[in-house]
């Protein structure tokens, strides 16, 4: 328990004992609150009277009575206000007080804003602000009053360009206390833009949505949005109802952010300039990706735009092919060096947006189409042989088939407008005229698999147990470069069959077909139902299934697909031992971070819940205890141990704290949230396997005895310290040291505070007369002396503490 809290409670207990037993003072409510409406002063204001314990009026008492609502600490703070004074805004300034006059207080001008059922708590203070007595008034109801003003219940929030506000404004007709008057079903509320950048305008999906009828006291707007992304917007609301209070209001300021991609705007198209066959367009395409409001996605430099043919009249080809997809630069895409080879009329290009999701580019439905344009024949660029020479005989005989050549532009289009250029033919000696070269690769070894292993990232991963949702990458290494080719139009990629039932790894299709490489990469997505103690391929001879693909070397020879024999150092399982299991994570242990002992209000006890597998937490699960409130999740997602916090509050009392002992006890996932605890995976999606949240017979260790006691320590005796304050007479300047004994240990070592100690004084004129009120209240004889205690010295920790009082004349 916090030392400071313990000391405060000890002091409060001491004062309460003095009030209830030593000082004969009581507080009584004579007039109860009645006729309460939200925001209005009570029709009947409360009155209290100061009595002694016998009910006798004490008109000479001097002090004040403070008053506040009698609320549970966990309830939302609701103040009592007094006309002419600021409304309290927090728990530290909740007291509204009036001075005691002739032993009574007649309150005036008190009220409560929020409708509901309440009680008033009255506290009597003396002139030194020491608590003398408390009492609670009767229950009373604050009802909703008459309509008085217009109020905003929800302000516009979560705004993005061109899309509806995520939180639409809701207004209400309210009484003076801000309570909605649900009986009102008349009048309208109108909205307009109050503060906006130049040119911005408020829009609505429904053209009549700017004027909303009031129903059940509420005006609920729908479909409002703004196009322009900017800061410091605000909305203005007004009503046609005749209200005494506010009829016009302005919302909180809010910002409109740039929303998700919704459209592509062509800034510059091919049609804006000339296009010649095979030559880069004079006007290279430039596009902007915008949200629904027309704001450029200036924070997106990861997504891309792909360009392709929408209409291709001459079956042309766009080049360079690797430039047809370009990435955004702050929402803008500038294509470069694009050209079309075939001349033709009426070409048209299509632009498509590719969204980056954090891992790769994904197709979307966002796109646009450019204007029609023509590709003209360009200037002469090269000669193209249309027909080779054939059928020649020695002896200067003419060729049977004469050569035919064409003068073409950069795109291969015949320059039909050129009838003046001259083409000259030259004779080039044959390579076989004076040399003989024979190439024979028939006896060369075909490509073979020399190694199958888990990818480097998997080998370096500290885990050895994987489950549904995990992605395991496998590399197959050949002794020379190979390429993979589809032999038919088949969507089923090559697979590596694995020894878990129904499991296989599929080729990662991330490289163009025909590209030479000595490594093929496969990907295994673990599914539900897969289980294997040691993952490997099924067999060395049949596990690599091509599915109508071929794997060839540079000379077109088929590769040998036999994998290394199972168990060899080059086989898959030799690179790492991996177990596959779809079993649900289960709870194996529950522990706490504190030792045995007694704990009180304000202290925090942290629980750790251990699973047999690593888990991922979405939301805030709860750990049920044998206490009124459960422990709340704090952290641990991505590990095998989740941590929960239990904060002891006033009223918690347990002989032994433990987790819930009910037969069906389990971690709770609060509704209606989509909270889950699932198996940890390395994949992009969460695992379908949810954790088993039941902890059944698991409890805290028997050796751990944690008691919860929030009862304040009680003073059982107060006496002068014999060594320093023996019986005798003390004068001004002397120090009296007293010892206060509590019924349980208290810790005051870290408390720096000053308290007033109330004690009885022996009257010099009457040996049998003792004061019955706090010091400062007693009226003694003509020669009596009065003393007041101060400067409390707290010295050590045991079942009590010692403090000194320096006497001073008043």
């Amino acid at each position: 328990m916090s030392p400071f809290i313990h000391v405060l409670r000890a002091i409060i207990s001491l004062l309460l004992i003095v009030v209830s037993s030593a000082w004969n003072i009581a507080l009584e409510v004579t007039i109860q609150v009645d006729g309460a409406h939200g925001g209005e002063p009570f029709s009947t204001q409360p009155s209290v009277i100061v009595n002694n314990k016998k009910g006798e009026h004490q008109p000479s008492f001097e002090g004040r009575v403070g008053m506040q609502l009698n609320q549970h600490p966990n309830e939302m703070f609701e103040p009592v206000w007094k006309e002419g004074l600021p409304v309290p805004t927090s728990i530290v300034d909740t007291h509204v007080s009036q001075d005691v006059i002739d032993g009574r207080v007649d309150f005036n001008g008190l009220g409560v804003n929020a409708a509901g059922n309440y009680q008033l708590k009255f506290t009597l203070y003396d002139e030194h602000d020491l608590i003398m007595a408390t009492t609670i008034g009767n229950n009373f109801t604050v009802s909703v009053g008459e309509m008085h003003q217009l109020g905003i219940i929800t302000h516009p929030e979560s705004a993005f360009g061109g899309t509806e506000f995520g939180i639409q404004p809701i207004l209400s007709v309210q009484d003076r206390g801000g309570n909605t008057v649900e009986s009102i079903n008349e009048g309208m509320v109108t909205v307009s833009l109050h503060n906006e950048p130049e040119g911005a305008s408020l829009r609505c999906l429904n053209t009549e949505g700017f004027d909303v009828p009031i129903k059940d006291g509420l005006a609920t707007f729908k479909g409002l949005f703004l196009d322009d992304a900017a800061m410091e917007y605000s909305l203005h609301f007004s009503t046609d109802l005749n209200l005494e209070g506010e009829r016009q209001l302005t919302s909180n300021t809010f910002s409109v952010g740039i929303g998700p991609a919704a459209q592509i705007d062509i800034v510059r198209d091919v049609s804006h300039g000339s296009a010649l066959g095979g030559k880069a367009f004079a006007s290279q395409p430039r596009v902007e990706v915008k949200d629904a409001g027309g704001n450029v996605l200036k924070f997106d430099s990861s997504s891309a735009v792909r360009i392709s043919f929408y209409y291709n009249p001459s079956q042309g080809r766009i080049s360079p092919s690797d430039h047809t997809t370009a990435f955004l630069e702050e929402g803008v895409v500038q294509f470069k060096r694009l050209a079309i080879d075939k001349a033709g009329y009426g070409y048209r290009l299509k632009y498509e947006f590719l969204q980056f999701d954090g891992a790769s580019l994904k197709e979307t439905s966002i796109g646009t189409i450019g204007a029609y344009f023509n590709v003209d024949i360009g200037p002469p660029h090269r000669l193209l042989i249309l027909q080779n020479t054939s059928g020649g005989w020695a002896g200067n005989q003419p060729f049977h088939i004469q050569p035919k050549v064409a003068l073409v532009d950069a795109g291969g289009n015949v320059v039909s407008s050129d009838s003046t250029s001259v083409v000259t033919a030259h004779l080039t000696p044959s390579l076989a005229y004076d040399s003989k070269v024979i190439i024979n690769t028939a006896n060369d070894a075909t490509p073979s698999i020399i190694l199958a292993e888990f990818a480097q990232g998997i080998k370096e991963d500290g885990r050895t147990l994987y489950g549904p949702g995990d992605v395991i990458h496998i590399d197959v290494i050949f002794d020379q470069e190979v390429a993979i080719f589809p032999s038919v139009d088949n969507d089923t990629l090559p697979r590596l069959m694995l020894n878990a039932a129904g499991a296989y790894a599929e080729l990662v299709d991330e490289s163009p077909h025909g590209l030479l490489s000595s490594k093929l990469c496969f990907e295994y997505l673990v599914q539900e139902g897969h289980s294997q103690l040691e993952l490997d391929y099924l067999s060395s001879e049949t596990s690599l299934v091509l599915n109508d693909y071929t794997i060839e070397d540079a000379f077109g020879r088929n590769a040998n697909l036999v994998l290394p024999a199972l168990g060899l150092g080059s086989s898959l399982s030799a690179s790492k031992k991996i177990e596959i299991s779809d079993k649900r994570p289960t709870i194996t242990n529950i522990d706490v971070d504190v030792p045995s002992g007694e704990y009180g209000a304000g202290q925090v006890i942290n629980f750790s819940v251990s699973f047999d597998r690593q888990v991922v937490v979405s939301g805030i699960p709860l750990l049920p205890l044998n206490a009124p409130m459960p422990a709340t999740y704090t952290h641990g997602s991505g590990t095998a141990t989740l941590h929960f916090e239990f904060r002891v509050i006033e009223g918690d009392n347990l002989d032994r704290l433990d987790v819930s002992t009910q037969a069906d006890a389990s971690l709770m996932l609060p509704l209606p949230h989509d909270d889950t605890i699932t198996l940890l995976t390395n994949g992009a999606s969460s695992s379908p396997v949810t954790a088993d949240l039941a902890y059944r017979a698991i409890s805290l260790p028997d050796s751990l005895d944690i008691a919860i006691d929030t009862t304040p320590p009680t003073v059982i005796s107060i006496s002068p310290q014999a060594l320093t304050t023996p019986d005798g007479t003390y004068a001004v300047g002397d120090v009296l040291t007293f010892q206060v004994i509590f019924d349980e240990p208290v810790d005051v070592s870290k408390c720096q505070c000053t308290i007033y100690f109330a004690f009885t004084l022996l009257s010099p004129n009457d040996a049998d007369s003792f004061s019955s009120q706090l010091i400062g209240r007693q009226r003694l004889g003509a020669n009596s002396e009065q003393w007041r205690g101060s400067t409390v010295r707290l010295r050590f920790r045991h079942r009590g503490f010692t403090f000194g009082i320096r006497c001073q004349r008043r």
Side-chain angles (χ1 to χ4, degrees):
M1 182 178 294
S2 168
F4 181 68
I5 295 175
H6 244 140
V7 170
L8 288 181
R9 287 182 174 162
I11 294 169
I12 292 170
S13 297
L14 173 61
L15 294 177
L16 290 178
I17 290 173
V18 171
V19 169
S20 61
S21 60
W23 315 124
N24 188 20
I25 294 296
L27 193 61
E28 179 185 354
V29 181
T30 57
I31 300 178
Q32 303 284 349
V33 172
D34 194 18
H37 293 90
E40 301 176 19
F42 304 142
S43 298
T44 301
Q45 295 284 326
S47 292
V48 296
I49 189 170
V50 181
N51 295 328
N52 60 20
K53 293 293 182 65
K54 296 180 181 181
E56 297 170 340
H57 186 209
Q58 302 293 302
S60 62
F61 185 87
E62 297 178 12
R64 65 183 178 91
V65 175
M67 186 274 303
Q68 64 182 137
L69 291 178
N70 185 36
Q71 292 181 290
H72 188 276
N74 290 337
E75 291 184 87
M76 182 176 294
F77 168 68
E78 179 63 35
V80 179
W81 48 262
K82 180 177 174 65
E83 286 184 309
L85 295 178
V87 177
T89 59
S90 68
I91 195 69
V92 298
D93 60 353
T94 57
H95 295 288
V96 174
S97 66
Q98 287 185 203
D99 291 337
V100 177
I101 300 176
D102 295 329
R104 59 185 305 123
V105 175
D106 297 317
F107 286 96
N108 59 79
L110 302 182
V112 174
N113 285 336
N117 297 317
Y118 302 102
Q119 286 179 304
L120 292 181
K121 179 180 179 181
F122 301 89
T123 304
L124 178 65
Y125 299 87
D126 75 348
E127 62 182 356
H128 302 292
D129 262 358
L130 295 176
I131 297 176
M132 301 295 295
T134 61
T135 190
I136 306 296
N138 292 346
N139 286 320
F140 67 94
T141 299
V142 176
S143 304
V144 177
E146 297 295 324
M147 67 176 185
H148 175 75
Q149 63 194 11
L150 187 67
I152 300 177
I153 295 180
T154 61
H155 292 263
E157 293 182 25
S158 302
F160 296 95
T163 58
E164 298 177 70
F165 301 152
I167 298 179
Q168 295 282 327
I170 301 176
L171 285 87
S172 68
V173 180
Q174 301 174 349
D175 64 8
R176 293 177 184 272
N179 304 289
T180 299
V181 185
E182 297 180 356
S183 61
I184 304 301
N185 287 287
E186 59 177 324
M188 305 286 288
V189 175
T190 301
V191 63
S192 60
L193 202 53
H194 174 70
N195 184 38
E196 78 283 347
E198 183 177 355
S201 61
L202 181 65
R203 301 180 63 186
C204 185
L205 297 179
N206 180 1
T207 55
E208 300 179 355
F210 301 106
D211 300 289
V212 174
I214 299 170
K215 182 178 181 181
D216 297 331
L218 298 176
T220 303
F221 287 88
K222 297 179 181 179
L224 298 178
F225 67 96
L226 289 156
D227 282 336
D228 298 333
M231 301 176 67
E232 300 297 327
Y233 281 104
S234 61
L235 300 183
H236 179 264
F237 302 94
S238 61
T239 181
D240 57 0
L241 287 176
N242 186 17
L243 302 175
E244 293 183 29
E246 293 289 347
R247 297 178 56 194
Q248 300 188 49
L249 296 171
T250 301
S251 73
N252 294 341
T253 58
F254 62 96
S255 299
V256 175
I258 299 174
Q263 56 186 313
I264 297 177
D265 186 19
I266 300 175
V267 179
R268 185 169 62 242
D269 198 13
V270 178
S271 60
H272 295 167
S274 61
L276 301 176
K279 291 288 187 179
F281 303 139
S283 175
Q284 291 289 320
R286 181 184 179 88
V287 300
E288 294 177 339
V289 181
K290 301 179 177 180
D291 65 7
N295 303 289
V296 177
L297 272 63
K298 60 182 180 180
F299 300 114
D300 190 345
S301 295
S302 301
S303 300
V305 173
R306 180 177 60 209
I307 194 169
S308 60
F309 285 114
Y310 178 76
Y311 186 65
N312 186 2
S314 300
Q315 300 305 305
R317 181 175 60 87
I318 301 176
S319 63
S321 59
D322 58 348
H323 281 50
T324 56
T325 298
F327 286 92
L328 277 66
E329 290 289 341
E330 297 183 350
V332 179
V333 170
Q334 175 64 66
F335 291 93
K336 300 176 181 179
R337 298 170 49 203
L338 294 183
I340 295 177
D341 56 350
K342 302 298 183 184
Y345 295 95
Y347 279 104
R348 203 173 186 186
L349 298 179
K350 175 174 60 176
Y351 303 86
E352 297 170 290
F353 178 67
L354 305 178
Q355 177 73 55
F356 182 71
D357 65 357
S360 60
L361 295 174
K362 300 296 184 182
E363 299 282 346
T364 71
S365 59
I366 301 169
T368 191
I369 300 169
Y372 288 102
F373 65 94
N374 301 329
V375 176
D376 298 322
I377 298 174
H381 180 72
R382 60 187 174 87
L383 288 175
L384 176 66
I385 299 177
L386 302 179
Q387 180 174 286
N388 288 307
T389 302
S390 181
W393 294 92
N396 292 320
Q397 297 296 313
F399 299 126
H400 180 67
I401 297 177
Q402 293 292 322
K404 183 184 293 184
V405 296
L407 188 62
V408 298
D409 63 8
N413 304 287
V414 176
V415 184
S416 56
S417 61
D418 190 339
S419 297
T420 59
S421 299
V422 176
V423 177
T424 304
H426 297 274
L427 179 64
T428 302
S430 170
L431 179 63
Y433 180 75
D434 56 4
S435 62
K436 183 177 183 180
V437 177
I438 300 174
I439 299 175
N440 184 359
T441 61
N443 295 323
D444 286 358
T446 57
S448 299
I449 299 172
I450 58 174
L451 176 65
E453 62 177 357
F454 294 108
Q456 192 65 29
I458 298 298
K459 290 193 293 184
E460 294 175 353
D461 186 357
R463 293 195 300 157
T464 59
L465 180 61
Y466 293 77
D470 276 315
V471 176
I472 300 176
H473 293 93
I474 299 172
D475 295 335
V476 175
I477 311 299
F478 288 81
D479 59 359
Q480 55 183 288
E481 291 185 330
V482 296
I484 186 164
F485 300 94
S487 56
V488 295
D489 187 10
N490 189 352
D491 292 333
T492 304
L493 293 167
R495 293 175 176 177
L496 181 64
M497 309 309 294
L498 303 175
N499 60 351
Y504 59 84
E506 193 168 64
L507 180 72
V508 178
D509 187 22
E510 58 185 14
S511 300
H513 297 148
L515 182 67
L516 289 170
S517 174
S518 61
K519 179 173 71 174
L520 296 182
C521 302
F522 292 80
E523 183 178 273
Y524 167 37
L525 176 61
V526 183
Q527 305 284 348
E528 289 185 276
H530 291 186
S531 179
Q532 179 55 246
L533 290 177
E534 187 170 1
L535 185 65
D536 209 333
Y537 38 78
L538 273 175
S539 71
S540 60
E541 295 184 356
T542 61
S543 288
L544 187 51
V545 180
L546 292 183
N547 291 322
D548 293 325
Y549 280 70
T550 59
I551 299 177
E552 304 172 3
D553 65 6
F555 303 108
R557 297 175 301 174
N558 290 328
N560 182 355
L561 303 182
V562 176
L563 294 157
L566 295 173
L568 292 182
S570 55
S571 66
L572 182 62
S573 60
S575 63
K576 182 178 181 179
K577 183 175 181 180
I578 289 180
E579 179 182 351
I580 303 298
S581 173
D582 66 346
K583 292 182 179 179
R584 302 175 66 188
T586 58
I587 297 174
T588 59
N589 186 52
I590 300 177
D591 206 348
V592 293
D593 68 342
V594 297
S596 297
E598 183 179 293
Y599 298 84
Q603 290 192 281
V604 174
I605 300 175
N606 295 304
F607 287 77
S608 57
V609 178
S610 299
F611 288 81
D612 59 356
R613 303 183 69 174
Q614 294 168 313
V615 294
V616 174
V617 177
S618 173
I620 305 177
L622 304 173
L623 173 64
L625 307 175
N626 61 347
M629 299 296 291
T632 304
Y633 168 76
T634 57
H635 64 284
S637 181
T639 71
T641 302
L642 303 184
H643 298 272
F644 295 78
E645 176 185 280
F646 173 64
R647 187 176 296 274
V648 182
I649 62 174
E650 198 75 41
D652 288 345
N653 290 286
L654 291 169
D655 293 334
R656 185 177 185 273
L657 178 67
D658 205 340
V659 295
S660 175
T661 56
Q662 296 184 5
D664 58 347
S666 63
L667 298 182
M668 297 187 299
L669 300 175
L671 297 174
H673 307 294
D674 297 327
D675 295 357
T676 59
I677 299 179
T678 57
L679 181 67
L680 174 68
T681 72
N682 62 5
S685 302
S686 60
S687 174
V689 178
T690 58
D692 182 356
L693 305 183
Y695 48 83
R696 301 176 179 86
I698 298 176
S699 61
L700 296 181
D702 294 337
S703 59
L704 198 60
D705 190 6
I706 299 174
I708 304 297
D709 185 4
T710 58
T711 304
T714 302
V715 176
I716 58 177
S717 70
I718 305 175
S719 61
Q721 191 181 49
L723 292 177
T724 60
T725 311
D727 294 344
T729 302
Y730 295 85
V732 173
D734 291 336
V735 175
L736 288 72
T737 304
F738 293 80
Q739 182 169 279
V740 180
I741 306 299
F742 293 84
D743 62 350
E744 61 178 295
V746 295
D747 191 348
V748 297
S749 59
K750 297 181 181 178
C751 178
Q752 296 180 355
C753 56
T754 299
I755 64 172
Y756 295 111
F757 174 62
F759 61 97
T760 59
L761 278 179
L762 180 64
S763 171
N765 299 328
D766 186 354
D768 297 326
S769 175
F770 291 86
S771 67
S772 59
Q773 299 180 20
L774 286 178
I775 297 308
R777 290 276 175 246
Q778 179 62 34
R779 289 173 172 79
L780 302 177
N783 297 320
S784 65
E785 301 287 343
Q786 292 189 1
W787 314 102
R788 184 172 146 212
S790 64
T791 317
V792 178
R793 300 191 180 112
L794 307 177
R795 295 183 178 170
F796 49 83
R797 186 181 191 275
H798 54 45
R799 270 186 122 33
F801 61 85
T802 303
F803 58 94
I805 298 178
R806 180 176 299 278
C807 298
Q808 60 188 60
R809 192 182 305 275
R810 292 188 57 196

